[in-house]
Amino acid sequence: MKKLLNTLYITTPESYLSLSGENIVVLKEDVEVGRLPLHNLQSIVTFGYQGASPALMGACAKNQIDLCFLKPSGKFLARVVGGNYGNVLLRKTQYRNSDNPYECLNISKNIIIGKLYNSKSVIDRTIRDHGIRVNVDKLEKGKSELYASLKRIEMVETLEELRGIEGNAAQTYFSVFDDLIINQKEQFYFNIRSKRPPLDNMNALLSFLYVLLSHDCAAALEGVGLDPYVGFMHKDRPGRVSLALDLMEEFRSVFADRLALTLINRNEILAKGFIQKENGAVVMDDDTRKIILNAWQNKKRTTITHPFLNEKIEWGIVPHVQAMLLARYLRGDLDEYPPFLWK
């Protein structure tokens, strides 16, 4: 099993990253504000425009440390990764299967089964924990519609059909998402999913968490030798980690969405940490980002029992386990890809 090392998040937009010996050094206006040994890190995520020195990028590539650049808003800019060694047969199989509609459908069906099952579980958990504070009838109806969508997946014969079911199920899930928000409803309401740019506080929070999740999934896929840019359900597009977007579908609701709801419902983040720009886009301030990143790391350290392995693992390991299971399926060691079903 892949050991989960630390991710370093640089949240100050003015920070510049450089290399000193075997250490990453964080500079702000040419003044050192932080230093950390590279061997402690698996990945580095920086929010800003200052960038990093070529020496640091080279050291990260050499040591297989993923270096990801994001805008202060959380929008993806670029990733720097090292050379890939070995696993050529696995990647050739991945590329062949990505061009095979039958194989794409088989893998994608299980991924979307995981997504819909987990979305239904999030609704069910809210009913169980907050039954007297939510519209149970509305949530139960949403659950029933998601279950019906799950049953229809068994009959689909094309990716287009599957995408249609997934799209309708996503609309069902988001139609009741506002009912999952218990506190601060005037400040963190949800009417419709808006992405580019996010137009309200809740969408800004979700978009930020989805970026973090896609980064973790891409790193997990790299770790087992798969190409995160070649997917089975998301079409290939230059610069898009299509396979990471495939993989993260299973975790959106149970990891990112539930964390967003927890932060809001427990008043751990407040509306004053979100700023609306002139074009309507909503971004968060640096202090709010730090709270979210700290909660993200803490969440990754909590323990669950993996439904397929039946072993206790940390949440942060789950994308790595699913990437490993996908690789085993592609190698022929498993009859099908087992999705992550949260219980």
Side-chain angles (χ1 to χ4, degrees):
M1 184 180 291
K2 183 180 177 70
K3 182 180 179 182
L4 182 67
L5 301 178
N6 293 326
T7 299
L8 175 64
Y9 295 99
I10 310 297
T11 62
T12 307
E14 299 81 13
S15 295
Y16 179 78
L17 311 182
S18 66
L19 182 71
S20 176
E22 297 296 320
N23 301 294
I24 177 177
V25 177
V26 182
L27 303 172
K28 184 177 180 181
E29 297 179 355
D30 296 326
V31 177
E32 181 178 325
V33 295
R35 175 184 292 255
L36 198 67
L38 281 177
H39 68 262
N40 287 340
L41 300 173
Q42 181 189 31
S43 58
I44 301 167
V45 180
T46 179
F47 299 82
Y49 299 103
Q50 296 298 318
S53 70
L56 176 64
M57 288 189 281
C60 288
K62 177 182 177 182
N63 291 283
Q64 298 297 304
I65 299 171
D66 196 50
L67 178 56
C68 183
F69 296 93
L70 307 176
K71 289 184 178 181
S73 62
K75 184 178 180 180
F76 175 81
L77 288 174
R79 291 175 66 236
V80 176
V81 295
N84 295 296
Y85 304 99
N87 295 301
V88 61
L89 297 180
L90 174 62
R91 291 209 173 196
K92 288 179 72 174
T93 301
Q94 176 189 355
Y95 298 148
R96 285 195 297 269
N97 286 6
S98 72
D99 289 329
N100 184 325
Y102 176 77
E103 286 294 341
C104 286
L105 180 61
N106 279 346
I107 296 172
S108 299
K109 282 171 69 172
N110 284 3
I111 287 173
I112 299 306
I113 285 172
K115 176 178 182 176
L116 269 58
Y117 180 92
N118 293 334
S119 298
K120 186 170 69 71
S121 295
V122 168
I123 297 173
D124 195 47
R125 181 65 65 93
T126 300
I127 294 173
R128 191 189 73 185
D129 293 346
H130 306 286
I132 62 174
R133 301 183 62 187
V134 298
N135 187 338
V136 174
D137 290 340
K138 182 178 179 181
L139 293 180
E140 288 286 358
K141 181 182 177 183
K143 275 180 52 184
S144 297
E145 292 178 7
L146 289 174
Y147 181 76
S149 295
L150 273 170
K151 300 299 289 184
R152 287 197 293 272
I153 289 177
E154 300 174 7
M155 308 301 295
V156 301
E157 297 181 351
T158 67
L159 270 177
E160 287 69 27
E161 289 181 74
L162 181 63
R163 291 190 181 106
I165 291 175
E166 186 273 335
N168 290 333
Q171 286 185 335
T172 296
Y173 172 70
F174 281 126
S175 72
V176 300
F177 192 78
D178 189 65
D179 294 85
L180 307 181
I181 304 169
I182 307 301
N183 294 324
Q184 305 189 77
K185 291 186 71 70
E186 291 186 4
Q187 296 81 20
F188 291 94
Y189 55 84
F190 185 90
N191 293 329
I192 191 172
R193 180 78 177 108
S194 58
K195 306 175 185 179
R196 303 179 185 90
L199 300 176
D200 55 56
N201 296 346
M202 177 55 81
N203 274 291
L205 176 57
L206 290 177
S207 292
F208 184 76
L209 292 173
Y210 292 162
V211 167
L212 298 179
L213 183 57
S214 67
H215 170 268
D216 285 358
C217 288
L221 293 164
E222 290 271 11
V224 299
L226 290 168
D227 187 341
Y229 290 90
V230 178
F232 300 107
M233 183 168 177
H234 287 83
K235 294 181 179 180
D236 295 343
R237 183 184 301 170
R240 182 167 79 170
V241 283
S242 296
L243 187 57
L245 296 179
D246 287 350
L247 188 66
M248 70 179 279
E249 293 292 355
E250 301 171 42
F251 316 126
R252 283 181 187 266
S253 59
V254 292
F255 200 104
D257 295 357
R258 287 200 74 235
L259 180 58
L261 293 168
T262 297
L263 290 169
I264 294 167
N265 291 337
R266 293 181 179 177
N267 298 312
E268 295 179 23
I269 59 172
L270 302 173
K272 65 180 182 180
F274 293 77
I275 304 162
Q276 187 169 43
K277 295 188 172 182
E278 292 181 358
N279 65 351
V282 175
V283 297
M284 59 191 70
D285 62 25
D286 191 47
D287 289 339
T288 301
R289 276 198 300 268
K290 289 178 180 178
I291 293 171
I292 296 169
L293 292 171
N294 184 61
W296 181 264
Q297 292 297 84
N298 288 337
K299 172 79 172 180
K300 287 165 68 172
R301 286 191 285 267
T302 59
T303 302
I304 64 166
T305 299
H306 191 278
F308 183 77
L309 301 180
N310 197 29
E311 294 181 13
K312 287 188 177 298
I313 61 173
E314 293 181 346
W315 254 116
I317 294 288
V318 173
H320 296 272
V321 171
Q322 293 305 121
M324 176 193 68
L325 293 173
L326 178 58
R328 290 185 62 188
Y329 166 73
L330 292 173
R331 290 192 181 101
D333 298 333
L334 294 172
D335 292 334
E336 61 180 326
Y337 167 68
F340 176 77
L341 305 176
W342 182 64
K343 298 178 180 179

